[in-house]
Amino acid sequence: MNEYIQHRKRTDVPTKNIATIIGKQPGDNIWILIEGTFINEVGELLKPEDTNYIWLSSIYSHSTIAALHSRCEVATPLTPMALEPLILKLFPLLEHNAFSAILMLDAGAMSWHYLTILENNKNCPVAVAYGPSGTGKTTGLFAALSIIGAHEPNFYSRGTKESYISILSKQTVPIGLDDPQSSKNVSELLIDLFGGAMSKGITRGVQQPIGTVIASANFTPTDSAR
């Protein structure tokens, strides 16, 4: 018992924070994407033991994080040259539509800083590629999410505005909306994300998005959404 009391009194034991969201941790320049993948602001892979955060797999089995299926697939070692080979492959694949896909890549990079842009500008542009089928919109969207390993778990086509806001209130990693079915729901979602509006529901309460979307659509958004 005395040994236990002495241990409890120790002040040299470091305090660790549990990673509660996927992506940028609140108030810190550390991105946590999956167990063992902790990245700093310059893109360096950190050792989890050298940070103030821990990933507790045991608690996620019953948490909203696990339910989101949002864990990114990150290949190590990390490389700063991921964009160049990706862009070079887009041109022969999409030909003249490759330039639109590159804009989607830019949107993906911007979306990582959604909260910072909102704080500085009071709004954040939301990228939407729209046009006829077969023009490479889905490929560009897939490529934009693949940069951060989110091309599989964060790809959606059907859902309500409330469900998307619920997901985005728990991760700074962007989600991709591919050919959504409802123009009205998507337009409302884009407007809310553009201004960082909070959402209030009967069961979920008030939710604040901390991430945004990259979308492709076969229809033209409403005038207010544009």
Side-chain angles (χ1 to χ4, degrees):
M1 178 61 72
N2 289 335
E3 292 180 359
Y4 173 77
I5 293 174
Q6 291 300 319
H7 175 75
R8 295 284 293 179
K9 289 182 178 179
R10 288 180 59 183
T11 59
D12 60 332
V13 178
T15 300
K16 294 285 187 177
N17 301 312
I18 298 175
T20 55
I21 64 172
I22 296 176
K24 188 177 186 296
Q25 300 307 300
D28 208 340
N29 288 325
I30 291 182
W31 283 258
I32 300 178
L33 303 180
I34 194 173
E35 184 175 6
T37 304
F38 294 40
I39 304 172
N40 64 13
E41 69 273 18
V42 295
E44 297 172 335
L45 191 64
L46 304 174
K47 293 181 179 179
E49 58 268 25
D50 293 337
T51 72
N52 294 325
Y53 295 92
I54 55 175
W55 179 283
L56 294 182
S57 299
S58 59
I59 72 170
Y60 300 136
S61 59
H62 303 290
S63 72
T64 51
I65 289 183
L68 295 177
H69 302 293
S70 297
R71 299 184 181 183
C72 298
E73 300 175 3
V74 181
T76 56
L78 301 180
T79 172
M81 301 300 293
L83 277 176
E84 182 179 359
L86 179 59
I87 291 174
L88 291 177
K89 289 182 180 298
L90 285 175
F91 275 99
L93 179 65
L94 299 179
E95 298 179 345
H96 59 279
N97 288 319
F99 290 101
S100 298
I102 291 175
L103 291 178
M104 297 295 283
L105 298 182
D106 294 338
M110 177 188 67
S111 64
W112 269 95
H113 305 282
Y114 175 69
L115 288 179
T116 301
I117 296 172
L118 270 182
E119 181 180 350
N120 293 330
N121 299 330
K122 309 307 178 186
N123 55 63
C124 180
V126 182
V128 183
Y130 59 92
S133 300
T135 52
K137 300 187 304 298
T138 298
T139 301
L141 177 58
F142 198 84
L145 293 174
S146 70
I147 298 174
I148 51 177
H151 49 292
E152 291 289 351
N154 285 309
F155 215 65
Y156 301 90
S157 61
R158 290 176 176 82
T160 63
K161 184 188 80 168
E162 290 74 19
S163 65
Y164 293 135
I165 291 293
S166 179
I167 293 173
L168 292 171
S169 68
K170 302 174 182 69
Q171 63 181 65
T172 65
V173 176
I175 63 175
L177 301 184
D178 182 40
D179 193 16
Q181 303 300 305
S182 172
S183 173
K184 180 177 182 294
N185 285 345
V186 171
S187 296
E188 291 178 353
L189 175 65
L190 298 182
I191 294 170
D192 286 352
L193 292 176
F194 176 76
M198 291 185 291
S199 177
K200 184 176 182 180
I202 296 176
T203 57
R204 294 190 177 98
V206 177
Q207 293 181 316
Q208 175 73 54
I210 58 176
T212 187
V213 303
I214 312 171
S216 67
N218 292 329
F219 52 77
T220 302
T222 62
D223 290 339
S224 56
R226 287 202 301 271

